[in-house]
C-alpha cells in the first residue's frame, strides 16, 4: 500500500525538513524532557520501519521505543505524516553524492544505480512512500542533484535529460521493489519459495497438460533459460533464486537503458549518427 508524503501541515513539514524555525511556531529545540528531540524521534521511526515495516509505524510505536508516550512526541513532530516525510529524507542522506566521472558517465551512473539498489534493500519501507508527491527535503534534492551532475554534460537536450533521469529513478525503484517482495514473501506467508513453486507447478501440469502446445514460445524460452538462471542464483549467493533473478534483470535492464542513452547522445535530431559524440 502506497503512503503519500506531504500529508501533514505544509509549512510545519517544510520547516522541519529544512530545519528552519517557523515564525510563530514551536522552536526546534529540546523540550521539557531531556534527551528527546526531532532527530531522536526520526531515528526511532526509521528503526521501527526497518525492523517491522511501514505498517507497524505509529507515533505510539515510536514513543514506546523511546520510553515515552505518543503525546510526548507531538511537541517536536506534529503527526505521523510529518514523521514519514522526515524519515524518508533522513535515510536518503545515506546515499553517496559524489561519483568519479574520470572514466566517463556510464561507470559513474552504474555505480549510482547499484548504490540505490542496495539502499532500497536496506530500507524496503522507503518503496512504499509514493513518488507522486515527493517529500521535497534537502536530501531528496541532493540525490537528484547527484544524477544531474553525472549526466548533465553528456549532450542531451534538457527536457530529454529530465525524462531519462526519471526513467533511471523509476527503473531502479521498480526492480528493487521486486527484489524486496521476493525477500518478504516467505516470512510473511509462512511458505518457502521452493514449496510454493513446487505445489503450483504440479497443479499447473495437472490442470494445463497442453501448456507447451498453448504457449510454445514461452515453453521454449523457459526450457533453456531456467537452468542458466538457477546456475546464476547458486553462484550469486542471493537469499533466493527469485531474488537473484530480479538482481540479474536489474543488471541487464540497466545496461539496456544506458545503451539507449548512449545511442541518443550519438544521434542528432535528424537521425545522423556521430560515432565519437557522447564519449566523455
Amino acid at each position: 500500500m502506497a503512503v503519500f508524503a506531504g500529508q501533514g501541515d505544509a509549512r510545519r513539514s517544510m520547516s522541519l525538513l529544512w530545519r528552519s524555525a517557523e515564525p510563530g511556531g514551536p522552536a526546534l529545540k529540546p523540550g521539557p524532557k531531556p534527551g528527546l528531540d526531532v532527530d531522536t524521534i526520526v531515528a526511532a521511526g526509521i528503526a521501527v520501519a526497518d525492523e517491522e515495516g511501514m505498517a507497524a509505524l505509529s507515533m505510539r510505536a515510536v514513543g514506546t521505543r523511546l520510553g515515552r508516550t505518543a503525546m510526548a512526541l507531538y511537541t517536536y513532530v506534529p503527526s505521523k505524516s510529518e514523521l514519514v516525510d522526515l524519515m524518508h529524507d533522513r535515510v536518503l542522506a545515506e546515499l553517496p553524492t559524489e561519483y568519479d566521472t574520470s572514466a566517463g558517465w556510464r561507470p559513474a551512473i552504474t555505480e549510482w544505480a547499484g548504490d540505490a539498489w542496495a539502499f532500497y534493500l536496506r530500507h524496503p519501507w522507503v518503496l512504499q512512500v509514493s513518488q507522486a508527491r515527493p517529500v521535497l527535503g534537502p536530501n531528496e534534492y541532493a540525490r537528484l542533484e547527484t544524477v544531474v551532475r553525472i549526466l548533465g554534460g553528456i549532450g542531451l537536450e534538457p527536457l530529454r535529460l529530465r525524462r531519462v533521469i526519471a526513467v533511471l529513478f523509476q527503473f531502479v525503484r521498480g526492480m528493487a521493489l521486486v527484489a524486496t517482495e521476493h525477500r518478504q514473501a516467505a516470512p510473511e506467508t509462512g511458505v518457502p519459495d521452493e514449496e510454493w513453486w513446487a505445489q503450483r507447478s504440479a497443479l499447473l501440469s495437472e490442470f494445463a497438460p497442453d501448456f507447451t502446445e498453448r504457449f510454445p514460445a514461452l515453453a521454449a524460452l523457459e526450457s533453456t533459460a531456467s537452468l542458466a538462471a538457477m546456475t546464476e542464483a547458486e553462484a550469486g549467493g542471493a537469499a533466493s533464486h527469485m531474488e537473484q533473478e530480479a538482481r540479474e534483470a536489474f543488471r541487464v535492464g540497466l545496461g539496456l537503458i544506458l545503451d539507449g542513452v548512449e545511442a541518443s547522445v550519438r544521434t542528432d535530431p535528424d537521425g545522423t549518427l556521430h560515432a565519437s559524440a557522447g564519449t566523455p
Side-chain angles (χ1 to χ4, degrees):
M1 182 177 71
V3 175
F4 289 95
Q7 296 305 294
D9 178 82
R11 179 173 293 277
R12 182 67 172 130
S13 183
M14 294 297 283
S15 174
L16 286 165
L17 282 165
W18 292 89
R19 290 298 194 270
S20 57
E22 175 186 337
L28 299 184
K29 61 183 181 180
K33 292 187 177 181
L36 193 61
D37 55 26
V38 172
D39 290 336
T40 300
I41 293 168
V42 173
I46 292 169
V48 170
D50 282 347
E51 295 171 18
E52 304 176 51
M54 184 66 88
L57 181 69
S58 67
M59 296 297 276
R60 181 188 297 273
V62 175
T64 298
R65 179 172 286 264
L66 294 171
R68 307 297 178 92
T69 65
M71 290 299 296
L73 308 185
Y74 294 133
T75 299
Y76 310 91
V77 180
S79 73
K80 178 182 171 181
S81 294
E82 288 87 357
L83 178 60
V84 169
D85 291 355
L86 293 166
M87 290 166 51
H88 185 273
D89 200 65
R90 169 73 67 81
V91 292
L92 288 178
E94 294 179 10
L95 290 167
T97 57
E98 299 292 336
Y99 288 90
D100 182 6
T101 57
S102 61
W105 64 267
R106 183 161 181 158
I109 208 67
T110 299
E111 185 180 358
W112 167 84
D115 288 340
W117 166 276
F119 166 79
Y120 285 128
L121 266 62
R122 289 196 305 274
H123 303 292
W125 59 270
V126 172
L127 294 165
Q128 292 181 255
V129 181
S130 173
Q131 297 298 287
R133 294 181 176 178
V135 171
L136 304 181
N139 293 314
E140 190 164 63
Y141 279 113
R143 175 174 64 161
L144 184 58
E145 173 79 6
T146 298
V147 179
V148 173
R149 284 204 308 267
I150 294 172
L151 297 178
I154 66 175
L156 290 178
E157 178 268 327
L159 182 57
R160 190 173 185 84
L161 174 62
R162 191 173 75 177
R163 289 170 178 165
V164 165
I165 290 171
V167 168
L168 285 168
F169 271 95
Q170 294 308 319
F171 170 75
V172 176
R173 180 183 174 89
M175 293 307 302
L177 177 60
V178 173
T180 60
E181 288 177 347
H182 284 314
R183 283 189 173 185
Q184 294 164 352
E188 291 195 13
T189 64
V191 180
D193 284 346
E194 295 78 8
E195 180 181 336
W196 189 93
W197 281 104
Q199 183 183 49
R200 265 53 181 192
S201 296
L203 290 171
L204 187 62
S205 298
E206 177 183 342
F207 291 112
D210 59 342
F211 184 91
T212 300
E213 289 73 29
R214 292 175 66 182
F215 309 105
L218 177 60
L221 173 65
E222 287 301 307
S223 67
T224 53
S226 293
L227 180 59
M230 290 296 292
T231 302
E232 283 182 346
E234 292 172 2
S240 71
H241 159 62
M242 296 306 297
E243 183 184 333
Q244 180 66 17
E245 187 70 6
R247 183 177 298 171
E248 288 302 312
F250 166 73
R251 181 184 63 80
V252 171
L254 179 64
L256 291 171
I257 291 171
L258 299 186
D259 286 346
V261 174
E262 286 191 327
S264 294
V265 169
R266 294 195 304 268
T267 307
D268 276 351
D270 63 1
T272 303
L273 280 173
H274 297 276
S276 61
T279 302

